[in-house]
Amino acid sequence: MQYGSSFSVAENGYLPSEKFDDDGRIKRTGTWKSATAHIITAVIGSGVLSLAWCFAQLGWIAGSITLSLFSVITMYNSILLTDCYRSPDPVTGTRNYTYMGAVKANLGPLQYKLCGIAQYGVLIGITIGYTTTTAISMAAIKNSNCYHKLGHNADCKESNNMYMVIFAVIQIFLSQIPNFHKLSPISIVAAIMSFTYSFIGVGLSIAKIAEDGMAKTTLTGIPVGPDFSGTEKMWITFSALGDVAFAYSFCFVLLEIQDTLKSSPPENKQKKLATIIGIMASTVFYMLCGVLGYAAFGDKAPGNFLTGFGFYDPYWMVDIGNICIVIHLLGAYQVLAQPLFGFMEASSKQKWSQNKLVTNEYSLCGFDVNVFRFASRTSYVIVTTIIAMLFPFFNDFVGLLGAGTFWPLSVYFPIEMYITQAKIRKYSYTWIWMQILSLACLIVSLIAAVGSTRGLITSVQTFKPFQSVS
C-alpha cells in the first residue's frame, strides 16, 4: 500500500487520507475510556482471587503495605512507559507499535531479544494459567450446586479437563479476531465482569463477617507453631509476594493498548489518564478483596476464595461470581494473547511474503479468514490447553508468573527506556533513584520466584498428569 499527500492507494482503489494515521495505517479510534477498559481487563484477573490468601500469609501490616507499594510502583513505571510509545519525542516521534518495538528503538537489538524472551514467555504462561483458572471456576459452578443439594460434606469433586476443552474451543473462535483494535467490545464486557465478581467476593465476605464475626487474624499472618515451621512460613510468604506481583502484571501489553488510541489528544496523555484510573480502580478492589477476604476467613483463607468454597451460600451468588470469572477470562486471554499472535504473524509474513497461505485474506460468510492465522492460533490454543492439563497448579503458578513478569517487564525495561528517551544524565539524582528502585524490585522478584518455585516442586511430587480435579 502506498500513500500520497491527499489520497491513499488500497488494493481496491483510492481512499481519502483522512481515513489513515500519520504512519499510513487505518486511523485509530480508541479513547482513554476504551484504554481504561483494556487495562482493567488485563489487571483485574485471576490474581484478585488469591489476595485473601496472600493477606493470610503476610498479615495486616505487610499485606497492606505490599499491595500499596506494588500499586504505586506499577503506576509510576507505567506512566514512564507511556512516553516510550513514540521515539525519540513522546508526542511527535515515530510510533512503536509494540512493547518489544519500543525496547528495540530505545535500547537496541540485544535488549530487544531479551525482552522478547521475557514478554512472550510470560504471555504464554499467563494464558496457560487462565486456562486452568477458568476450568476451576467452571467446575466450581457444578460443585456449588452439588453441595447445595447433598450438603457441604458431600464428595463433589469434578475433573477440570472437560472444562479446559470447552474453554479451548471458545478461545479457538475468539482467537480469529484479527487484531487488538477489534477487541474493545470484548474488553468492555470483560471489565464489567471483573468488577462484578469482585463486588460479589466483597459482598459475600461482608455477609460472612456480619453472620459469624471476624475470623482469627494477626498483624503478621499465620503464626509459626508446631504444625507450621518458620522455614515454611518464609517460603509461603515469598510465594505470596509473587501472587501480589502477578495481580499487577500488565505493563507488557501497555504499548499494544496505547497503539489503539486516536492521535488527538496525544496518545501518551490519554494513556496516562487511563493508566491512573485503571490502576487506582484495580487497587481499590484488590484492597477490598484482600482485607475483607482475610477478615472473613482469617488464617484459613482459601487460595481462590470463589472456587475454594470458603463460601457455600447463597450458592446462586457463588455461581454468578464464577460465571463472571469465566466470561472475564475469556476476554482477558485475548487481550494478553493478541500481542503474541501479532508477533507470530508479522514474522511469518516477513519471512514468507510470497506465500499466499500466509498473506492472503479470504471472505467467508462476511468474515476475513487467513489460513495461516487460523492454523497458528488454533494450534497455540490447543498446545496451551494440553500444558494446562499437565500442570494445574493455581497459587504457585500464579506466584511464579508474577515473579517472572514484574521486574523485567514492569520495572527494568520501562525505567531503562525512559532514561534513554529522556536523556537522563548518568549518576544524577533521578538516575540513582531509578536504579535503586529497579534493584529493590529485582530482589523482591527473585525472592518471590524462589518461594513459588519451591511450591511448584512440592506440588509436582504429588500430582498426576491429566488428573486435575476441583
Side-chain angles (χ1 to χ4, degrees):
M1 194 178 289
Q2 297 174 338
Y3 305 95
S5 58
S6 59
F7 288 89
S8 300
V9 183
E11 293 176 359
N12 59 349
Y14 289 85
L15 293 173
S17 61
E18 59 264 20
K19 291 188 177 181
F20 295 87
D21 271 325
D22 55 354
D23 59 346
R25 296 194 175 190
I26 297 295
K27 189 173 286 291
R28 297 155 177 86
T29 58
T31 66
W32 66 268
K33 295 177 183 178
S34 63
T36 301
H38 282 314
I39 290 171
I40 292 173
T41 300
V43 176
I44 302 183
S46 57
V48 70
L49 304 172
S50 66
L51 290 178
W53 178 86
C54 293
F55 266 80
Q57 315 314 313
L58 299 170
W60 289 117
I61 297 175
S64 300
I65 292 174
T66 300
L67 203 59
S68 300
L69 281 177
F70 273 97
S71 171
V72 171
I73 291 170
T74 302
M75 186 181 298
Y76 175 75
N77 288 319
S78 297
I79 289 173
L80 296 183
L81 189 57
T82 60
D83 284 336
C84 299
Y85 171 64
R86 289 181 181 266
S87 299
D89 185 270
V91 177
T92 61
T94 303
R95 296 173 186 266
N96 297 308
Y97 306 117
T98 64
Y99 189 104
M100 284 181 61
V103 171
K104 187 174 185 178
N106 288 283
L107 302 178
L110 176 60
Q111 302 242 36
Y112 166 77
K113 293 177 182 178
L114 295 175
C115 174
I117 294 171
Q119 182 183 11
Y120 295 129
V122 166
L123 290 175
I124 292 169
I126 293 178
T127 53
I128 293 170
Y130 279 4
T131 303
T132 302
T133 307
T134 307
I136 292 171
S137 289
M138 289 179 176
I141 295 169
K142 186 172 183 179
N143 290 346
S144 173
N145 289 273
C146 174
Y147 287 127
H148 177 70
K149 292 178 180 179
L150 304 179
H152 298 173
N153 295 320
D155 183 10
C156 295
K157 295 294 184 182
E158 184 76 16
S159 172
N160 293 329
N161 290 342
M162 177 181 69
Y163 299 107
M164 291 189 192
V165 172
I166 293 172
F167 179 77
V169 171
I170 297 172
Q171 286 301 339
I172 287 173
F173 284 100
L174 291 179
S175 293
Q176 305 317 310
I177 296 172
N179 54 53
F180 224 125
H181 302 272
K182 306 294 185 182
L183 281 180
S184 290
I186 290 178
S187 278
I188 291 170
V189 172
I192 292 170
M193 292 299 102
S194 64
F195 279 125
T196 302
Y197 70 70
S198 296
F199 269 125
I200 289 173
V202 168
L204 291 173
S205 296
I206 292 172
K208 184 173 178 63
I209 295 169
E211 182 178 350
D212 302 329
M214 278 189 60
K216 181 182 177 182
T217 62
T218 64
L219 294 176
T220 57
I222 300 174
V224 175
D227 300 324
F228 192 61
S229 67
T231 302
E232 190 68 22
K233 168 78 172 178
M234 178 186 70
W235 290 122
I236 292 183
T237 298
F238 290 170
S239 182
L241 290 175
D243 280 25
V244 177
F246 177 76
Y248 281 104
S249 297
F250 90 102
C251 280
F252 41 81
V253 293
L254 187 146
L255 294 184
E256 282 83 349
I257 295 173
Q258 192 165 341
D259 190 47
T260 66
L261 296 174
K262 57 185 179 182
S263 302
S264 180
E267 301 93 351
N268 62 333
K269 290 185 178 180
Q270 295 183 73
K271 197 59 200 287
K272 285 174 183 176
L273 176 60
T275 298
I276 292 170
I277 294 174
I279 293 178
M280 286 181 66
S282 301
T283 300
V284 169
F285 278 96
Y286 281 179
M287 195 65 77
L288 287 173
C289 289
V291 168
L292 293 174
Y294 183 40
F297 299 112
D299 296 343
K300 296 182 180 180
N304 181 325
F305 76 173
L306 282 180
T307 63
F309 287 97
F311 305 112
Y312 287 94
D313 295 301
Y315 76 99
W316 55 269
M317 185 67 76
V318 177
D319 289 349
I320 292 173
N322 281 300
I323 289 170
C324 290
I325 291 172
V326 171
I327 296 173
H328 170 242
L329 294 185
L330 284 170
Y333 185 104
Q334 287 302 312
V335 170
L336 296 174
Q338 283 293 338
L340 182 62
F341 293 156
F343 171 75
M344 289 192 301
E345 287 151 23
S347 300
S348 300
K349 286 180 179 179
Q350 185 176 12
K351 187 173 183 179
W352 299 300
S353 59
Q354 303 303 315
N355 191 320
K356 293 183 178 180
L357 293 178
V358 176
T359 59
N360 280 15
E361 296 279 343
Y362 301 93
S363 181
L364 181 65
C365 299
F367 295 95
D368 290 333
V369 177
N370 175 274
V371 175
F372 177 78
R373 180 169 66 234
F374 177 79
S376 61
R377 295 187 181 195
T378 300
S379 299
Y380 176 83
V381 173
I382 292 172
V383 170
T384 53
T385 302
I386 293 172
I387 296 173
M389 290 178 178
L390 279 170
F391 303 106
F393 312 122
F394 180 73
N395 273 71
D396 291 314
F397 192 65
V398 161
L400 187 58
L401 287 175
T405 303
F406 186 70
W407 180 73
L409 299 177
S410 298
V411 181
Y412 173 76
F413 285 119
I415 284 178
E416 292 301 316
M417 283 192 286
Y418 183 81
I419 287 174
T420 300
Q421 182 150 312
K423 296 181 173 58
I424 295 175
R425 184 171 52 84
K426 198 172 184 178
Y427 303 119
S428 65
Y429 173 80
T430 303
W431 185 90
I432 292 173
W433 144 247
M434 288 183 170
Q435 297 304 320
I436 291 173
L437 174 63
S438 181
L439 179 61
C441 291
L442 171 60
I443 293 171
V444 171
S445 290
L446 290 174
I447 289 173
V450 170
S452 298
T453 301
R454 180 184 178 276
L456 276 175
I457 292 172
T458 302
S459 299
V460 166
Q461 292 172 352
T462 58
F463 96 108
K464 295 179 181 179
F466 301 101
Q467 298 297 315
S468 171
V469 295
S470 294

